[in-house]
């Protein structure tokens, strides 16, 4: 038979739980022929259990740890076992500390480590006052909790407040038994009123224990009532408590759960706070007992229960007219209400036993399903994830640090994926079904969403979410990441100030939008900026910024507003700068015309694998506009409009780098002439797969270099020199 951990606590001190725990422990040890250790979990060193049990000055945990010194928790527990005095009744006492300042030398990690070892040899009865977080720590490691209270209004009000916290922390109420002690004292509420009160929190009362004159006298004389007068009424009722302990089954415990799920104070001297790396006993005790939190095992009926509770919650929401809002602040309040509803419904499902860890996970998952995006809601809360890709219910991938990783998360089925997609697009005025099986959208946080469902998606509904940092990357961030050199940044900054037209080129996921955000930060505050995007992603810092976003056609196929329409329109809005998030069609011609007609300093991105490919794509997109232009005229327009092409590349290790900065120098017959100014030279890959290489200039400044000086921009010509040129310059000076 496995050993049990039983907690006795209550709403206040002085309700009689110590009398109950001592008499219960003695009777239980005798009936079951087992040894019991009482742990007085008292932070100010009060305990009287030893005197009543006839134990003389038992050592405390702190006393024993002082002797043991550097021993590990496992060794300490074995040594403590031999040092705990056991009374003739088979019950021992192990106080944590005898002085309150000694108590602060302990930590939750030490206590959980010791109890986990002691429970292998003893049943453990914990006597804990209503003191947070010790009380909740005890709940987490107990098989059964006896809530001992009196029938007074103050005790019941305190009980109500604590049980609200118990519910919020998702402790199963089935673990709690209510014992009303001294219920017939003068001034107490009637048993019916007390029963009615506990019905409100979903609990029946296990036992009403009466006042006994012998109870007080035995306690004052350090005598055991269960021994002195076993036939008195109080002891007869106590048998209900003992019987409940005998019938409860000991569970396998996660001894670190109380540490991981409760926040312990690091400040007040009166609170139980974790120790630092070492303690006065000389050992790194916290490190010794800490273990990786085990993965929560899920019962086979998990999904069935979730479907059932989900339906019940929806009905409650409809009955109580609780509406789910798109406003995150309002939804925070709704989340608390729904959390309470789910917890209440779970308390009634007694045929589905859940640990607190399972209960917390269950409620969190169901909240994400009802109010969020289901299994991917937790991924959306992780700021390090840049892309979420749902290929199938059990195939959810993420991109983190430029690397693709398959996650442990999964949807219940394809229908759940479609429901999440609909939840995403519905508030944005979009729809997705068999008639409209493809949708692009943007979440309120700026994330870009693409969803496609059957019949277009043959393998099933697919969802892709591109996420962006809430705080745009600065040039310092990109330099620190090795994405660009300081000289390149200095040149790009000068070009933006000089109002040069810049095209940012790169493949999918190379960081074009991030780089465009950085470039736009160099635009002066006194200029009017208009951005045109298919899906609004840019996060400019300037105040005088107007955002335009294209619109797809409605259900009837009407109302579409294209990027080209917006580029044409923004020319009438007196822009100083036009920033096009991505050029992908006929709008390329309008953008080039704008660049050539007084809107210098414009910025845009384009999908291409090299600067030369970017020029070819620009030509192709201009031809899509239907303009009847000869190729030489089109190339002349491109050569005069575009000044700089910045090429971005994503490497095998996930890193993103600026691999080339090219100047457009003009046109020779039908060929657009280019001149590379900076480049990244890859030298290899290290043993960890990281790309090795260096940034370098090519040796010649741009043809428009003199323009920097005429516009008062101080840009040293040395940044365009190669390392060999710099060394030669130094040798010439010498």
């Amino acid at each position: 038979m496995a050993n049990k951990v039983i907690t006795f606590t209550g709403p206040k001190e002085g309700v009689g739980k110590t009398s109950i725990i001592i008499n219960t422990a003695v009777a239980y040890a005798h009936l079951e022929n087992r040894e019991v250790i009482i742990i007085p979990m008292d932070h100010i060193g009060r305990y009287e259990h030893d005197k009543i049990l006839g134990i003389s000055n038992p050592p405390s945990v702190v006393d024993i740890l002082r002797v043991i010194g550097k021993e590990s928790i496992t060794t300490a527990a074995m040594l403590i076992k031999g040092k705990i005095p056991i009374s003739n009744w088979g019950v021992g006492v192990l106080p944590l500390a005898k002085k309150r300042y000694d108590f602060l030398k302990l930590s939750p990690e030490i206590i959980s480590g010791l109890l986990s070892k002691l429970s292998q040899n003893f049943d453990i009865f914990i006597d804990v006052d209503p003191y947070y977080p010790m009380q909740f720590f005890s709940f987490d490691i107990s098989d059964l909790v006896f809530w001992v209270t009196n029938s007074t209004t103050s005790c019941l009000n305190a009980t109500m407040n604590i049980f609200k916290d118990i519910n919020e922390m998702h402790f199963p109420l089935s673990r709690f038994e209510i014992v009303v002690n001294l219920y017939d004292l003068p001034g107490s509420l009637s048993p019916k009123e007390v029963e009615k009160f506990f019905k409100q929190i979903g609990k029946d009362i296990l036992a009403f224990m009466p006042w006994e004159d012998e109870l007080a006298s035995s306690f004052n004389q350090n005598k055991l009532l269960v021994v002195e007068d076993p036939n008195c009424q109080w002891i007869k009722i106590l048998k209900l408590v003992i019987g409940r302990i005998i019938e409860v089954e000991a569970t396998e415990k996660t001894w670190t759960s109380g540490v991981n799920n409760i926040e312990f104070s690091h400040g007040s001297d009166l609170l139980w706070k974790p120790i630092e790396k070492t303690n006065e006993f000389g050992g790194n005790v916290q490190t010794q007992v800490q273990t990786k939190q085990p993965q929560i095992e899920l019962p086979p009926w998990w999904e069935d229960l979730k479907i059932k509770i989900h339906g019940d919650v929806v009905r409650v929401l409809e009955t109580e007219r609780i509406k789910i809002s798109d406003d995150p602040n309002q939804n925070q309040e709704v989340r608390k209400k729904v959390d309470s509803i789910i917890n209440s419904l779970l308390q009634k499902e007694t045929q589905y036993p859940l640990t607190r860890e399972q209960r917390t996970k269950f409620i969190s998952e169901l909240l994400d399903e009802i109010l969020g995006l289901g299994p991917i809601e937790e991924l959306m809360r992780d700021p390090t994830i840049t892309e979420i890709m749902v290929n199938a219910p059990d195939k959810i991938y993420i991109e983190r640090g430029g690397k693709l990783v398959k996650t442990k998360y999964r949807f219940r089925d394809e229908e759940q994926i479609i429901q999440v997609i609909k939840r995403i697009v519905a508030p944005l005025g979009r729809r997705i079904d068999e008639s409209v099986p493809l949708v692009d959208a943007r979440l309120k946080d700026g994330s870009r969403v693409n969803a496609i469902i059957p019949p277009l998606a043959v393998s099933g509904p697919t969802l892709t979410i591109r996420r962006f940092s809430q705080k745009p990357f600065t040039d310092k961030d990109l330099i620190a990441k090795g994405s660009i050199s300081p000289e390149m940044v200095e040149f790009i900054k000068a070009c933006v100030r000089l109002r040069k037209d810049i095209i940012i080129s790169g493949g999918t996921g190379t960081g074009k939008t991030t780089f465009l955000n950085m470039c736009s930060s160099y635009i002066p505050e006194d200029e009017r900026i208009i951005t045109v995007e298919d899906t609004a992603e840019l996060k400019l810092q300037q105040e005088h910024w107007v955002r335009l976003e294209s619109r797809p056609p409605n259900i009837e196929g009407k109302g579409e507003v294209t990027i080209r329409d917006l580029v044409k329109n923004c020319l009438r809005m007196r822009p100083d700068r036009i920033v096009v998030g991505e050029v992908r069609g006929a709008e390329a011609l309008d953008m080039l015309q704008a660049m050539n007609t007084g809107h210098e300093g414009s910025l845009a991105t384009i999908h291409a694998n090299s600067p030369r490919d970017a020029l070819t794509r620009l030509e192709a997109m201009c031809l899509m506009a239907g303009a009847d232009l000869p190729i030489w005229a089109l190339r002349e327009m491109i050569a005069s409009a575009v000044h700089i092409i910045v090429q971005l590349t994503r490497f095998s290790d996930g890193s993103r780098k600026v691999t080339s900065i090219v100047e457009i120098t003009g046109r020779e017959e039908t060929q657009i002439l280019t001149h590379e100014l900076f480049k990244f030279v890859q030298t290899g890959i290290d043993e960890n797969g990281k790309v090795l290489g260096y940034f370098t200039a090519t040796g010649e400044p741009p043809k428009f270099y003199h323009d920097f000086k005429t516009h008062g921009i101080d840009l040293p010509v040395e940044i365009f020199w190669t390392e060999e040129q710099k060394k030669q310059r130094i040798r010439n000076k010498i």
Side-chain angles (χ1 to χ4, degrees):
M1 183 166 129
N3 294 302
K4 303 173 182 179
V5 179
I6 310 296
T7 287
F8 292 78
T9 189
K12 289 187 172 187
E13 297 174 19
V15 293
K17 61 178 171 54
T18 299
S19 297
I20 291 176
I21 192 173
I22 295 173
N23 282 277
T24 301
V26 169
Y28 173 80
H30 172 70
L31 290 171
E32 295 293 296
N33 193 26
R34 301 170 65 81
E35 289 187 338
V36 176
I37 299 296
I38 296 178
I39 308 288
M41 198 82 74
D42 190 343
H43 63 289
I44 59 176
R46 304 161 307 172
Y47 63 96
E48 50 248 323
H49 312 72
D50 57 333
K51 297 180 180 63
I52 299 174
L53 292 169
I55 298 172
S56 177
N57 194 27
S60 68
V61 171
V62 170
D63 294 334
I64 298 172
L65 286 177
R66 280 202 183 99
V67 176
I68 293 169
K70 297 183 179 181
E71 299 290 346
S72 70
I73 284 296
T74 303
T75 306
M78 293 173 63
L79 293 171
I80 286 176
K81 177 190 172 186
K83 293 182 179 294
I84 300 174
I86 304 296
S87 71
N88 295 332
W89 317 109
V91 180
V93 179
L94 180 63
L96 300 183
K98 296 177 182 177
K99 299 176 181 178
R100 65 178 68 192
Y101 59 80
D102 275 346
F103 182 84
L104 293 177
K105 296 167 187 173
L106 298 173
S107 75
E109 290 85 355
I110 290 177
I111 305 306
S112 59
L114 285 171
L115 295 184
S116 69
K117 297 301 178 184
L118 289 174
S119 67
Q120 296 173 11
N121 302 101
F122 304 99
D123 285 316
I124 295 175
F125 285 17
I126 297 174
D127 186 350
V128 60
D129 288 332
Y131 173 74
Y132 182 88
M134 292 164 55
Q135 190 180 49
F136 284 67
F137 170 81
S138 303
F139 295 166
D140 237 347
I141 61 175
S142 296
D143 299 301
L144 194 60
V145 177
F146 287 100
W147 187 264
V148 182
T149 181
N150 297 148
S151 300
T152 62
T153 302
S154 60
C155 278
L156 297 184
N157 287 340
T159 292
M160 179 64 78
N161 290 330
I162 297 175
F163 267 77
K164 285 180 182 177
D165 295 334
I166 288 170
N167 265 312
E168 287 181 6
M169 296 188 73
H170 307 140
F171 288 102
L173 289 183
S174 58
R175 190 181 296 176
F176 291 79
E177 293 292 352
I178 309 300
V179 177
V180 181
N181 192 31
L182 312 179
Y183 76 93
D184 52 355
L185 282 175
S188 296
L189 299 173
S190 69
K192 284 188 177 181
E193 290 178 280
V194 178
E195 285 179 334
K196 185 178 178 182
F197 167 84
F198 278 102
K199 286 290 185 184
Q200 296 177 53
I201 58 176
K203 290 302 297 179
D204 293 322
I205 296 171
L206 175 69
F208 280 97
M209 305 193 66
W211 165 260
E212 294 275 4
D213 292 332
E214 293 83 357
L215 181 63
S217 61
S218 66
F219 199 83
N220 291 331
Q221 297 170 20
N222 295 329
K223 293 182 179 180
L224 287 163
L225 189 59
V226 72
V227 174
E228 298 292 326
D229 191 1
N231 294 316
C232 71
Q233 189 64 22
W234 192 85
I235 295 298
K236 288 180 180 179
I237 303 298
L238 187 67
K239 290 177 182 178
L240 294 173
V241 174
I242 300 166
R244 184 70 182 91
I245 297 173
I246 292 172
E247 73 179 24
V248 74
E249 293 184 4
T251 58
E252 186 177 343
K253 300 169 185 64
T254 304
W255 286 95
T256 55
S257 64
V259 178
N260 293 332
N261 294 321
I262 299 177
E263 295 179 3
F264 296 96
S265 168
H266 291 263
S268 170
D269 285 341
L270 295 178
L271 292 181
W272 189 12
K273 55 185 179 181
I275 56 173
E276 301 301 327
K277 290 185 178 179
T278 60
N279 63 11
E280 80 156 42
F281 308 118
N284 189 346
V285 182
Q286 183 174 355
T287 304
Q288 291 161 351
V289 300
Q290 278 184 331
T291 58
K292 184 179 179 181
Q293 187 169 7
Q295 187 174 354
I296 299 172
E297 292 187 10
L298 305 182
W301 36 260
W302 182 269
E303 289 298 332
D304 293 336
L305 179 61
K306 194 187 293 183
I307 293 171
K308 180 181 185 302
I309 298 293
H310 192 154
D312 293 341
V313 171
V314 170
R315 283 188 286 274
V316 173
L317 292 178
E318 291 173 350
T319 303
E320 299 187 9
R321 297 183 179 179
I322 298 173
K323 294 184 178 179
I324 299 172
S325 169
D326 293 332
D327 184 347
N329 295 325
Q330 289 184 24
N331 252 2
Q332 201 62 31
E333 291 300 315
V334 174
R335 192 176 181 91
K336 289 180 181 178
K337 291 179 182 177
V338 178
D339 184 304
S340 178
I341 292 169
I342 298 171
N343 195 53
S344 297
L345 291 169
L346 273 181
Q347 301 290 6
K348 298 174 183 177
E349 301 291 340
T350 55
Q351 71 274 31
Y352 298 109
L354 292 173
T355 65
R356 184 167 81 92
E357 292 77 20
Q358 290 173 332
R359 186 179 295 267
T360 301
K361 180 178 177 63
F362 184 94
I363 293 175
S364 177
E365 287 185 4
L366 198 49
L367 280 170
D368 288 342
E369 282 189 24
I370 295 171
L371 302 178
L373 304 181
I376 63 173
E377 181 68 23
E378 189 172 342
L379 299 176
M380 292 293 292
R381 290 193 285 264
D382 187 342
T384 65
I385 294 174
T386 53
E387 195 113 23
I388 300 170
M389 292 148 280
V390 180
N391 297 347
D394 59 343
K395 294 179 181 177
I396 301 177
Y397 292 82
I398 61 168
E399 181 188 69
R400 181 188 278 121
K403 288 285 189 179
L404 292 180
V405 180
K406 186 178 180 181
T407 71
K408 64 180 180 180
Y409 302 94
R410 58 170 296 151
F411 284 88
R412 187 165 49 250
D413 49 32
E414 291 186 355
E415 181 59 31
Q416 190 185 10
I417 300 177
I418 293 175
Q419 290 305 316
V420 166
I421 294 172
K422 289 181 177 179
R423 176 168 294 155
I424 291 172
V425 303
L428 307 175
R430 309 284 179 87
R431 62 177 284 188
I432 189 164
D433 50 35
E434 287 190 7
S435 60
V436 187
L438 173 66
V439 68
D440 273 306
R442 173 175 51 86
L443 298 178
K444 288 188 176 295
D445 66 356
S447 299
R448 187 172 69 200
V449 177
N450 176 272
I452 183 167
I453 64 173
L456 298 186
V458 179
S459 59
T462 302
L463 174 65
T464 308
I465 301 178
R466 169 75 63 84
R467 305 183 67 234
F468 300 95
S469 172
Q470 293 302 307
K471 182 182 178 183
F473 285 108
T474 64
D475 48 20
K476 292 180 180 177
D477 295 326
L478 297 183
I479 291 171
K481 288 176 175 290
S483 298
I484 193 171
S485 70
E487 293 78 13
M488 289 177 169
V489 167
E490 201 171 346
F491 173 67
I492 293 294
K493 185 185 297 184
C495 287
V496 173
R497 291 176 58 195
L498 193 60
R499 299 182 67 87
K500 293 297 179 182
D501 296 313
I502 301 174
I503 299 292
I504 300 164
S505 168
T508 301
T510 53
K512 297 186 295 299
T513 302
T514 298
F515 196 85
L516 183 58
N517 265 321
M518 185 200 78
C519 293
S520 66
S521 68
Y522 304 138
I523 299 175
E525 285 284 348
D526 59 352
E527 294 189 18
R528 177 175 170 86
I529 308 167
I530 299 179
T531 60
V532 179
E533 299 176 83
D534 193 37
T535 303
E537 300 168 352
L538 294 172
K539 296 184 186 300
L540 274 62
Q541 305 303 306
Q542 290 84 344
E543 184 177 351
H544 201 163
W545 169 36
V546 179
R547 306 176 74 183
L548 303 180
E549 184 179 40
S550 65
R551 186 178 70 185
N554 59 20
I555 299 172
E556 290 78 25
K558 300 178 181 178
E560 180 182 17
V561 179
T562 66
I563 292 287
R564 188 177 190 186
D565 296 330
L566 295 177
V567 171
K568 288 180 180 178
N569 185 77
C570 75
L571 296 176
R572 306 183 186 100
M573 298 172 68
R574 197 247 172 236
D576 288 309
R577 308 264 188 160
I578 299 173
V579 179
V580 182
E582 183 179 337
V583 181
R584 60 174 69 180
E587 68 272 5
L589 180 62
D590 302 287
M591 183 191 69
L592 291 176
Q593 289 175 334
M595 290 176 172
N596 274 320
T597 55
H599 297 92
E600 297 88 354
S602 295
L603 304 167
T605 72
I606 189 171
H607 270 83
N609 294 325
S610 70
R612 181 59 62 183
D613 287 347
L615 293 173
T616 303
R617 280 213 71 202
L618 272 177
E619 292 176 12
M621 288 187 288
C622 288
L623 293 173
M624 290 167 60
D628 189 14
L629 291 173
I631 193 67
W632 67 265
L634 184 56
R635 288 177 178 169
E636 179 67 33
M637 181 185 294
I638 293 173
S640 60
V642 180
H643 302 118
I644 297 291
I645 296 178
V646 179
Q647 183 65 41
L648 305 180
T649 303
R650 177 178 170 179
F651 289 86
S652 57
D653 62 352
S655 62
R656 300 168 173 89
K657 299 181 187 296
V658 177
T659 50
S660 182
I661 297 180
V662 171
E663 172 195 12
I664 308 299
T665 57
R667 181 181 66 88
E668 186 176 285
E669 296 182 354
T670 60
Q671 184 73 25
I672 298 175
L673 302 179
T674 62
H675 168 220
E676 189 171 45
L677 301 171
F678 297 92
K679 63 181 178 179
F680 175 76
V681 179
Q682 182 176 349
T683 58
I685 297 177
D686 68 11
E687 61 276 9
N688 298 317
K690 185 177 180 181
V691 170
L692 302 175
Y694 59 91
F695 296 102
T696 180
T698 57
E700 292 184 23
K703 303 301 181 186
F704 56 81
Y705 177 73
H706 66 279
D707 292 347
F708 291 120
K709 290 185 178 179
T710 58
H711 286 78
I713 299 172
D714 183 21
L715 187 69
V717 72
E718 290 82 3
I719 70 171
F720 302 103
W721 292 352
T722 63
E723 288 300 316
E724 185 57 37
Q725 286 175 314
K726 292 176 183 177
K727 291 176 182 177
Q728 184 62 43
R729 182 80 172 184
I730 293 171
R731 286 196 291 267
N732 292 341
K733 284 185 178 181
I734 295 174

